Amino acid sequence: MVEQTQKSHISLDHEKMHAPPEGFFERSTSKPNLADFATYQKMYDQSIQDPATFFGEQAKQTLDWIRPFDQPRFPADKKDDFKNGDLPAWFVGGQINAAYNCVDRWAAKDPNKVAIIYEGDEPDSGRKITYGELLKDVCKLAQALTKLGVKKGDSVAVYLPMIPEAVVTLLAIVRIGAMHSVVFAGFSSTSLKDRILDADSRIVITADESKRGGKTIETKKIVDDALKDCPDVRNVIVFKRTGNSHVPFSPGRDLWWHDELAKYGNYFPPTPVDSEDPMFLLYTSGSTGKPKGVQHNTAGYLLGALLTTKYTFDVHEDDVLFTAGDIGWITGHTYCVYGPLLNGATSVVFEGTPAYPNFSRYWEIVDKYKVNQFYVAPTALRLLKRAGHKYVEPYDLSSLRVLGSVGEPIAAEVWHWYSENVGRNKAHVVDTYWQTESGSHLLCPLAGVTPTKPGSASLPFFGIEPKILDPTTGEELKGNDVEGVLAIKSAWPSITRGIFGDYNRYIDTYLRPYADHYFSGDGAARDLDGFYWILGRVDDVVNVSGHRLSTAEVEAALIEHDLVGESAVVGYADDLTGQAIAAYVSLKKHKLPADADLEAIKKELILTVRKEIGPFAAPKTVLFVDDLPKTRSGKIMRRILRKVLAGEEDSLGDISTLSNPQAVSQIIDVVKTSR
Ligand code: PRX
């Protein structure tokens, strides 16, 4: 069971309700996807009362099926959802292909319609890819993969920057019924190796080098380091991004993307897959050190991605959607690749960063391509807000209708900055709460119809039945003005079907903590108006710049350093990154030289984490302590460590039950001196 949630510090102000911007729908040339709030309420009620009929109809209308499904949901009745670890099966008997739904059907309608706008790291580098061109490349790579022996159900590892070839890669893999396992290209070779081994991937698709924020990253070299311990990997397909001649290349194993694609014709038929066949794995952090391969199955995931993109963002075929999240995370999967393409819209794939060559980069892109929906994490908005108004002001930005936020709570002042300075009070700000495991939005306003409150993810999407539970007893806290942990009562189409290779861990993590519910891992409140407020993780997961990390994962990296005896990692509030990582470390005294340079050891420890996980996981603060506070059974009391860091040492509660209460006073001293 989780530690008790702390009473919320967020003000749940039910007075501050904002109506959707006036004239929202008039600013689109397309008919609204949802007429009004009453329509949302009616559809929502249907989706909860009879999910089988609701989603069955949606799936028939919005997806193209190779074989129609016999039953939309089995069992149709949701009363046994999550009992004994059970999940319903969706769209039983149906056969479908993800790539067909994303590409072929739009290419048949208009092959010249732009599917992807690629904006390179350097301004003015990039190109547009039509649905017709996308279909050809996807078909060619699908044939290359087939020729290399990839079969339905196999996993293919993907380690690519944000370039159109990443989209081609994902779609080629699902076209032949295989699973992609994308590893964020900011992960180290060790993390990449762990994921390749866990998913048993035999083929890796990567680039020679990557460009980001004006810097060059040695992508292929990282892959080669990872593959030293992956003897089963047969081939690596390498896209030439920079063309630098010194990039390592092993003839036989390594193949150039352009050579492979040149061998094949423009068309290759999609492989029919069953609705519940796996579509991809995406590794995410949990409360232990070992990352979890979250598995999504085909038809349910596709429907979730399609419907949330359509309704949360009011996306139409003529729209240009710019999701700034990386393809290496779920936001990139669902809202840069699948959601926009399933709706036949245009998706912007941006290789760079919001700060390069200056803080106007996003707004330049928005104006250049007349972006209608923009979607980003608050961490980038905090950076841009801090950089100043002068970087936004010169831009027109009148094409923007929807401004999305994702990955972490958005503070009210950032929400207002976004709405006023970027949206010019005409765009609807939608704060979307969801997870890798949910596949698509859980709590979110629907553009143009749902009133919003800055800082609240508002109301549930269709089919989502949120409950607030008492964290200790697991009892449902009914009515409004309640606070506890967030759980979901019944299954929705895009819920993860499990952790790859470890179904028991899935049950233990999500379905066992609170009987008959899916447990989100987040604390939440429902205010007087019934709006939901996410209060942050209640487990050992930290959220740094919208990147999810487990404290145990960072601790496992630190222990790799020779001098580390023990460590405890906690998150603490940071103005820019939301949360930052603090590592409390006790060093092995017997190995420590008398004249040890502690500052140099700190740097080495940070480097160790960068090397073991990736630069984004580096601790911001390292604190050397003699001992860590523990219960009598040996469990480290992270709650105490968090409180001391937050300056709340006066409210530590009873520490006399610790096995080593004397450790606490030294920790308080160390933290005070570090400030
Ligand atoms: O704690 C919640 C936070 O991010 C977690 C999920 O992380 P991940 O699987 O990496 O997916 C991120 C992109 C969906 C959640 O458990 N989170 C996500 N969105 C929000 C959020 N916290 C507050 N507000 C949000 N809108």
Side-chain angles (χ1 to χ4, degrees), residues 331 407-409 431-436 522 534 537 543 548:
T331 302
E408 29 163 359
D431 174 8
T432 61
Y433 164 80
W434 58 297
Q435 315 177 300
T436 306
D522 285 297
I534 301 300
R537 301 288 306 196
N543 191 329
R548 174 171 162 183

Side-chain angles (χ1 to χ4, degrees), residues 30 106 109 113-114 131 315-320 340 343-346:
S30 313
W106 308 116
K109 196 169 168 191
K113 163 99 191 276
V114 175
Y131 274 98
V315 164
H316 298 86
E317 277 181 45
D318 291 333
D319 285 346
V320 178
N343 281 285
T346 300

Side-chain angles (χ1 to χ4, degrees), residues 221-358:
K221 193 174 167 300
I222 299 172
V223 172
D224 279 14
D225 285 345
L227 294 188
K228 282 179 195 151
D229 297 312
C230 301
D232 292 333
V233 170
R234 296 191 298 268
N235 295 105
V236 183
I237 300 181
V238 190
F239 177 75
K240 240 182 213 182
R241 167 61 185 88
T242 63
N244 277 345
S245 54
H246 58 258
V247 168
F249 194 84
S250 311
R253 184 195 70 182
D254 298 348
L255 307 161
W256 289 114
W257 170 290
H258 58 272
D259 286 344
E260 286 307 296
L261 266 64
K263 292 180 192 163
Y264 302 100
N266 289 340
Y267 186 72
F268 189 63
T271 302
V273 307
D274 291 344
S275 295
E276 285 287 354
D277 276 344
M279 177 169 155
F280 67 86
L281 304 178
L282 184 58
Y283 283 81
T284 188
S285 300
S287 40
T288 71
K290 191 175 176 308
K292 305 180 277 202
V294 170
Q295 180 184 321
H296 281 288
N297 287 4
T298 307
Y301 172 79
L302 291 177
L303 189 66
L306 190 154
L307 294 182
T308 48
T309 306
K310 177 174 170 181
Y311 293 115
T312 308
F313 298 129
D314 191 41
V315 164
H316 298 86
E317 277 181 45
D318 291 333
D319 285 346
V320 178
L321 192 143
F322 174 14
T323 291
D326 196 281
I327 265 171
W329 308 109
I330 193 69
T331 302
H333 280 58
T334 307
Y335 299 106
C336 188
V337 182
Y338 291 107
L341 300 183
L342 284 164
N343 281 285
T346 300
S347 184
V348 175
V349 173
F350 176 42
E351 190 176 23
T353 72
Y356 180 78
N358 60 52

Side-chain angles (χ1 to χ4, degrees), residues 78-138:
K78 56 185 188 173
K79 74 177 185 344
D80 289 333
D81 282 12
F82 306 139
K83 281 207 169 73
N84 311 314
D86 279 355
L87 292 178
W90 290 90
F91 314 116
V92 182
Q95 288 199 313
I96 193 163
N97 183 276
Y100 180 89
N101 275 278
C102 290
V103 191
D104 301 44
R105 57 179 178 159
W106 308 116
K109 196 169 168 191
D110 179 4
N112 297 320
K113 163 99 191 276
V114 175
I116 296 167
I117 298 174
Y118 164 49
E119 169 81 5
D121 189 45
E122 293 300 328
D124 297 322
S125 68
R127 63 182 203 278
K128 293 182 176 169
I129 294 109
T130 64
Y131 274 98
E133 289 164 340
L134 184 61
L135 178 62
K136 285 183 201 162
D137 277 0
V138 168

Side-chain angles (χ1 to χ4, degrees), residues 525-539:
R526 189 166 47 227
D527 72 11
L528 289 166
D529 295 315
F531 274 49
Y532 289 87
W533 298 73
I534 301 300
L535 305 174
R537 301 288 306 196
V538 292
D539 52 10

Side-chain angles (χ1 to χ4, degrees), residues 600-662:
I601 298 174
K602 264 187 201 174
K603 286 195 183 124
E604 280 176 30
L605 293 180
I606 291 169
L607 213 67
T608 307
V609 177
R610 290 174 71 98
K611 195 179 139 286
E612 289 293 314
I613 305 177
F616 63 94
K620 186 167 173 185
T621 307
V622 178
L623 300 157
F624 291 123
V625 294
D626 290 339
D627 207 1
L628 295 165
K630 292 197 187 109
T631 59
R632 296 223 168 97
S633 60
K635 187 173 173 265
I636 297 175
M637 290 298 284
R638 288 192 178 71
R639 186 176 53 82
I640 292 180
L641 299 172
R642 275 195 291 265
K643 284 210 162 197
V644 175
L645 260 186
E648 296 168 14
E649 54 268 19
D650 295 339
S651 57
L652 294 183
D654 182 11
I655 57 167
S656 64
T657 53
L658 295 177
S659 69
N660 54 349
Q662 71 287 356

